[in-house]
Amino acid sequence: MAAPDNKPTSVDSSRAASRCAQVLDAAAECFRLKGFHGASMADISRTAGMSAGHIYNYFDSKDAIIGGIVKRELREIMANIESLEAAPDTFHAMIEHADEGMNRSLDTRSSALKLEVLVESTRNAELATLVHEADRAALARLCELIRKGRGDRPALPEDELFARAELLIATFDGLRIRALRNPQLNQDAILQVLRQQLDRLLND
Amino acid sequence: MAAPDNKPTSVDSSRAASRCAQVLDAAAECFRLKGFHGASMADISRTAGMSAGHIYNYFDSKDAIIGGIVKRELREIMANIESLEAAPDTFHAMIEHADEGMNRSLDTRSSALKLEVLVESTRNAELATLVHEADRAALARLCELIRKGRGDRPALPEDELFARAELLIATFDGLRIRALRNPQLNQDAILQVLRQQLDRLLND
Amino acid sequence: MAAPDNKPTSVDSSRAASRCAQVLDAAAECFRLKGFHGASMADISRTAGMSAGHIYNYFDSKDAIIGGIVKRELREIMANIESLEAAPDTFHAMIEHADEGMNRSLDTRSSALKLEVLVESTRNAELATLVHEADRAALARLCELIRKGRGDRPALPEDELFARAELLIATFDGLRIRALRNPQLNQDAILQVLRQQLDRLLND
Amino acid sequence: MAAPDNKPTSVDSSRAASRCAQVLDAAAECFRLKGFHGASMADISRTAGMSAGHIYNYFDSKDAIIGGIVKRELREIMANIESLEAAPDTFHAMIEHADEGMNRSLDTRSSALKLEVLVESTRNAELATLVHEADRAALARLCELIRKGRGDRPALPEDELFARAELLIATFDGLRIRALRNPQLNQDAILQVLRQQLDRLLND
DNA sequence: AATGAATGAGACTTCATTCAT
DNA sequence: CATGAATGAAGTCTCATTCAT
């Protein structure tokens, strides 16, 4: 350490980070396709283009990998908080862009992974902690958006603010489940009703 | 012996049905606790009080067991259709009993199993078919309830009717996810907002 | 036992014999199709139209069933000895009917069972004893046929007599193997050469 | 390290080949002793000195192992073709060395395996293909030997050439069966008659 | 005589993980 | 850093056999 040459550590660590990311990407793909237990380390190593043994240089166990996936998501959420907080006229934007949000919810591939992780968190305390933490950050941010978005209208009681945020998220999360249970759901009709519901949640 | 009535067949078949139910109960419990792939046939057989080998007299495979769980749920849903269809003043009842519905959604134990099955259906075509079929039945029933509940108000277009039903279910299903991601969610505050949302979905 | 009524025992025992035969027939069919280890008692019971449990009233074990098959064959061979011993002009008949013998050897279905039993006898001492016993009876009979068939020609030394019989049987048994290894073998051409070989074995 | 030559691949692949051979040897031994279905993967792994799981790095399944045995035999047969094709005065050699051939046929150990494989091929299409292919190669070679061995005598019709080859092989294969069915068979007397039969098959 | 429920051992196979190289 | 050989535990499922009825 502190060797005379300066590059190696930085190079190594950036290489390591990139290898880690490779693993996380591969694992996310595999978990989505086959589920956490259904995906083998061999699957992941193949997808990552790396020997299974080597993955253990970066992650202690298969559990640690799914933990890594959630941690990375958490980091991304945290990073996005600031950048997105500044947007003006939030409500109009949210309702206007409801279609994008809905489409994200109707993407069964991403939903499968999300639910996979959630279900697994039911049985893995460490994973649960990560999931809860990530959720708390996202929820807080959404509350803040709503508070700001209401502008000079009288402030909502904290409880109700959170309840609205919860139901807003619940609606989108619920659509994930709907998309999986009913592959023929009518997107256009839903979007219309969804917009009304959002409008009331935000503006009433 | 030589008794005039020979019940054995009926006795046997009722015994078989009861053994089947034992397996399904045990499996549901195990899948909930450990997940479909995490729960072993040994776990299930232990919980069911029956040798693992014997379970295969009733179910062809582990897959068939989770299929059996969904089929049983479907039968229960179907059975409830008639009994619930006759209730008068549906909307008022639905909004009034929203707390019960919400509590069902916030029961993380039942949610874990429900999501487990749903996630597994992502990777098991036969299971997916069962899930979709059960969903179609439930959805149709809800639409009918809404149609009747609206009484002499102008009929909703079919599309919108379905969209409202979808969002109604989505809201409750979404709360399942919320309960898992945020164990501290404030039930009372949510109930209030939930009732408003339901009221609009049904009565607007 | 020795009950005043006379029929039951005989009826029962004939019924038992018939049930036994059912099992042996079914087992022979199953072993032929799936092999001794590949055929399950469930397979046999299904084919025999009898519950698996009941089979154990007639046979102590699966091993005993294959033993029963060989014993039955042995009895049949023994029974045939006398009836066939009397035929006049044996050699001519044998060579003339070589085609029938060859066709029997080329029947892959019966060969599969025969080899199955033989191979199993390699690993089952009791079965081996039965096989050897049956073979000894058949071989002795064939030697006798040859001796008689040679009429007033000078008697062959015992050794050579047996050797000729061995090779005669070997030729037909070998054709069983050939039929399994080469499904396209040319029967007509073989028959011609076979006849010449038989002729020399018997008449030289 | 940083040695100029990097042999690992070649070393590894030779190691892999040797491990494969270990498995095939062990499996051949186990199949011979207990039969294909009677021998467990645990038996094979114990005999091979290798964990059962590791065998699956080399063979996809137990079926693939018996297939590997046949493939290896086929390779050996093919390899011998050239080396043996060149021998002069084939017939005399064949008849002279009939004792060696007969002894091979009378080796019940090798016969048990050979028949085991043959019987299994009755129920395994892929294995059957391999067996037929190996047989075709061996048969063709024998025909060629006979054709050449006949020197300037008038050529045999193709049909008869094949028929003679078939019966030649059948005779030796039949002796395998004889050795198993009659452990007391008189080798010396048989050898004498066998030589006469061979002589006629080849020289007539 | 006959059934079929029931078991427990054991079959093949997969897999997370370790370690020498 | 990187590999892949290797393992041992565990998984699903089958099956010969027993026994109450």
Side-chain angles (χ1 to χ4, degrees):
Chain A
M1 75 213 75
D5 54 4
N6 50 356
K7 285 273 186 73
T9 340
S10 125
V11 162
D12 278 15
S13 89
S14 92
R15 173 176 186 84
S18 133
R19 294 296 255 167
C20 263
Q22 253 177 282
V23 174
L24 292 179
D25 290 342
E29 180 72 3
C30 291
F31 292 162
R32 182 173 65 70
L33 287 172
K34 304 188 165 193
F36 177 65
H37 286 101
S40 69
M41 289 296 294
D43 289 331
I44 298 172
S45 82
R46 216 175 302 120
T47 308
M50 189 184 316
S51 78
H54 196 43
I55 292 182
Y56 284 82
N57 282 22
Y58 300 113
F59 296 93
D60 281 347
S61 67
K62 203 181 165 189
D63 275 9
I65 297 179
I66 200 173
I69 289 177
V70 178
K71 274 180 197 157
R72 183 168 68 169
E73 267 188 354
L74 175 55
R75 274 199 303 276
E76 288 166 3
I77 289 171
M78 296 304 214
N80 287 351
I81 290 191
E82 304 127 28
S83 71
L84 296 179
E85 211 101 54
D89 198 1
T90 1
F91 286 3
H92 186 259
M94 286 173 78
I95 294 171
E96 204 61 27
H97 293 55
D99 55 343
E100 295 166 13
M102 191 183 76
N103 283 337
R104 269 197 300 278
S105 286
L106 300 186
D107 172 16
T108 53
R109 295 161 50 102
S110 82
S111 294
L113 177 58
K114 199 158 193 161
L115 291 183
E116 183 67 39
V117 170
L118 182 60
V119 162
E120 187 59 23
S121 80
T122 286
R123 302 182 283 266
N124 178 327
E126 202 170 344
L127 191 55
T129 305
L130 288 170
V131 166
H132 297 160
E133 196 172 339
D135 188 72
R136 197 174 324 122
L139 182 64
R141 170 179 167 260
L142 180 58
C143 285
E144 206 46 46
L145 279 181
I146 296 178
R147 195 198 317 272
K148 283 190 183 168
R150 291 183 65 84
D152 42 5
R153 274 170 284 186
L156 293 170
E158 198 71 355
D159 273 1
E160 187 175 350
L161 178 64
F162 268 85
R164 291 190 183 207
E166 287 284 5
L167 274 168
L168 195 155
I169 304 181
T171 304
F172 282 98
D173 279 349
L175 284 175
R176 288 187 185 276
I177 295 184
R178 293 309 306 148
L180 290 174
R181 293 183 66 98
N182 178 7
Q184 289 139 14
L185 97 191
N186 181 331
Q187 304 195 15
D188 297 333
I190 288 178
L191 181 57
Q192 216 176 335
V193 182
L194 175 63
R195 282 211 169 103
Q196 293 166 15
Q197 292 291 91
L198 291 186
D199 180 52
R200 285 145 183 169
L201 270 178
L202 297 171
N203 288 318
D204 267 13
Chain B
M1 75 203 76
D5 57 357
N6 53 351
K7 284 266 189 64
T9 339
S10 125
V11 163
D12 277 17
S13 90
S14 92
R15 173 175 189 86
S18 130
R19 294 297 255 165
C20 265
Q22 254 177 279
V23 174
L24 292 180
D25 291 342
E29 180 73 3
C30 291
F31 292 163
R32 180 174 68 69
L33 286 173
K34 303 190 167 190
F36 177 67
H37 287 101
S40 70
M41 289 300 296
D43 290 331
I44 298 173
S45 83
R46 214 175 301 119
T47 308
M50 189 185 314
S51 79
H54 194 41
I55 292 182
Y56 286 84
N57 281 24
Y58 301 112
F59 296 93
D60 281 346
S61 64
K62 201 182 168 191
D63 275 9
I65 297 180
I66 200 173
I69 290 178
V70 176
K71 276 180 195 157
R72 183 167 68 169
E73 267 189 351
L74 175 55
R75 275 199 302 275
E76 289 166 3
I77 289 172
M78 295 304 218
N80 288 350
I81 290 189
E82 304 127 29
S83 71
L84 296 179
E85 211 103 52
D89 198 0
T90 357
F91 287 2
H92 186 256
M94 286 174 76
I95 293 170
E96 204 62 25
H97 294 54
D99 55 342
E100 294 166 12
M102 190 184 78
N103 283 336
R104 271 197 299 279
S105 286
L106 300 187
D107 172 15
T108 52
R109 294 161 50 104
S110 83
S111 295
L113 177 57
K114 199 160 192 160
L115 292 183
E116 185 65 40
V117 170
L118 183 59
V119 162
E120 186 58 23
S121 80
T122 286
R123 300 182 281 268
N124 178 328
E126 206 169 338
L127 188 57
T129 303
L130 287 171
V131 166
H132 297 161
E133 195 174 337
D135 189 71
R136 198 174 323 123
L139 182 63
R141 169 176 168 262
L142 181 58
C143 285
E144 206 44 46
L145 278 182
I146 297 178
R147 195 198 317 271
K148 283 187 183 168
R150 291 184 66 85
D152 43 5
R153 272 168 287 186
L156 292 170
E158 198 73 355
D159 273 4
E160 188 175 351
L161 180 64
F162 269 84
R164 290 187 184 211
E166 287 284 6
L167 274 168
L168 196 155
I169 304 181
T171 305
F172 283 98
D173 279 349
L175 283 175
R176 288 185 184 276
I177 296 185
R178 294 309 305 147
L180 290 174
R181 295 183 66 97
N182 178 8
Q184 288 138 14
L185 96 189
N186 181 331
Q187 303 194 15
D188 297 333
I190 288 178
L191 180 57
Q192 214 176 338
V193 181
L194 174 62
R195 283 209 168 104
Q196 291 166 17
Q197 292 291 91
L198 292 185
D199 180 54
R200 285 146 182 169
L201 270 178
L202 297 171
N203 288 316
D204 267 11
Chain C
M1 71 214 77
D5 53 4
N6 49 358
K7 284 274 186 70
T9 342
S10 125
V11 161
D12 278 15
S13 89
S14 92
R15 174 175 185 84
S18 133
R19 294 296 255 167
C20 263
Q22 253 177 280
V23 173
L24 293 180
D25 290 342
E29 179 73 3
C30 290
F31 293 162
R32 181 175 65 70
L33 286 172
K34 303 187 165 195
F36 177 66
H37 285 100
S40 68
M41 289 297 294
D43 289 331
I44 297 172
S45 82
R46 215 175 302 120
T47 307
M50 188 184 316
S51 78
H54 196 42
I55 293 182
Y56 284 82
N57 281 23
Y58 301 112
F59 296 93
D60 281 347
S61 66
K62 203 180 164 190
D63 274 10
I65 297 179
I66 201 173
I69 290 177
V70 177
K71 275 180 196 156
R72 183 169 68 170
E73 266 189 354
L74 175 55
R75 274 198 305 274
E76 288 166 2
I77 290 172
M78 296 304 217
N80 287 351
I81 289 190
E82 305 128 28
S83 73
L84 295 179
E85 212 100 53
D89 198 0
T90 359
F91 286 2
H92 187 258
M94 285 174 76
I95 294 169
E96 205 61 28
H97 294 53
D99 54 344
E100 295 166 12
M102 190 183 77
N103 284 335
R104 269 196 300 277
S105 286
L106 299 188
D107 172 15
T108 53
R109 294 162 50 103
S110 81
S111 294
L113 176 58
K114 199 159 193 159
L115 292 183
E116 183 68 38
V117 170
L118 182 59
V119 161
E120 187 59 23
S121 80
T122 286
R123 301 182 282 267
N124 178 329
E126 202 171 342
L127 190 57
T129 306
L130 288 170
V131 167
H132 297 160
E133 197 173 338
D135 189 73
R136 197 172 325 120
L139 182 64
R141 169 178 169 260
L142 180 58
C143 285
E144 205 45 45
L145 278 181
I146 296 177
R147 195 197 319 271
K148 283 189 182 169
R150 292 185 64 86
D152 44 4
R153 273 169 283 186
L156 291 171
E158 197 73 354
D159 272 2
E160 187 175 351
L161 178 64
F162 269 84
R164 290 189 184 208
E166 287 283 5
L167 274 168
L168 196 155
I169 305 180
T171 305
F172 283 98
D173 280 349
L175 283 175
R176 289 186 185 275
I177 296 185
R178 294 309 306 148
L180 290 174
R181 296 183 64 98
N182 179 8
Q184 289 138 15
L185 96 189
N186 182 331
Q187 305 194 14
D188 297 334
I190 288 177
L191 180 57
Q192 215 176 335
V193 181
L194 174 63
R195 282 210 168 103
Q196 293 167 17
Q197 293 290 92
L198 292 185
D199 180 53
R200 286 143 182 172
L201 271 178
L202 297 170
N203 289 317
D204 268 12
Chain D
M1 75 203 78
D5 57 357
N6 52 349
K7 285 264 189 67
T9 338
S10 125
V11 163
D12 277 17
S13 90
S14 92
R15 172 174 190 87
S18 130
R19 294 296 254 166
C20 264
Q22 254 177 280
V23 173
L24 292 180
D25 291 342
E29 180 72 5
C30 291
F31 293 162
R32 181 175 66 71
L33 286 172
K34 303 192 167 190
F36 177 67
H37 287 101
S40 70
M41 289 298 298
D43 290 331
I44 298 173
S45 82
R46 214 175 302 119
T47 309
M50 189 183 316
S51 79
H54 194 42
I55 292 181
Y56 286 83
N57 280 24
Y58 301 112
F59 297 93
D60 281 346
S61 65
K62 202 182 168 190
D63 276 8
I65 297 179
I66 200 172
I69 290 177
V70 177
K71 275 180 195 157
R72 184 167 67 171
E73 267 188 352
L74 175 54
R75 274 198 303 275
E76 287 165 5
I77 290 172
M78 295 304 216
N80 288 351
I81 290 190
E82 305 126 28
S83 70
L84 296 179
E85 211 101 54
D89 199 359
T90 359
F91 286 1
H92 186 257
M94 285 172 77
I95 295 169
E96 203 62 27
H97 294 55
D99 54 343
E100 295 166 11
M102 191 184 75
N103 284 335
R104 269 197 300 276
S105 286
L106 299 186
D107 171 14
T108 52
R109 294 161 50 101
S110 83
S111 294
L113 177 57
K114 198 160 193 160
L115 292 184
E116 183 66 39
V117 170
L118 183 59
V119 162
E120 185 59 22
S121 80
T122 285
R123 301 182 282 268
N124 177 329
E126 206 168 339
L127 189 57
T129 305
L130 287 171
V131 166
H132 297 161
E133 195 173 338
D135 189 71
R136 197 173 325 122
L139 182 64
R141 168 176 168 261
L142 180 58
C143 285
E144 206 43 46
L145 278 182
I146 297 177
R147 196 200 315 272
K148 282 189 183 168
R150 291 184 64 85
D152 43 5
R153 274 170 284 185
L156 292 170
E158 197 72 357
D159 273 2
E160 188 176 351
L161 179 63
F162 269 85
R164 292 190 182 207
E166 287 283 5
L167 274 167
L168 196 155
I169 305 182
T171 305
F172 282 98
D173 279 349
L175 283 175
R176 289 185 184 275
I177 295 184
R178 293 311 304 149
L180 290 174
R181 294 184 66 99
N182 178 8
Q184 289 138 13
L185 97 191
N186 181 331
Q187 303 194 15
D188 296 334
I190 288 178
L191 180 58
Q192 215 177 336
V193 182
L194 174 62
R195 282 212 169 101
Q196 292 166 17
Q197 293 289 93
L198 292 186
D199 181 52
R200 286 146 181 168
L201 270 179
L202 297 172
N203 288 316
D204 267 13

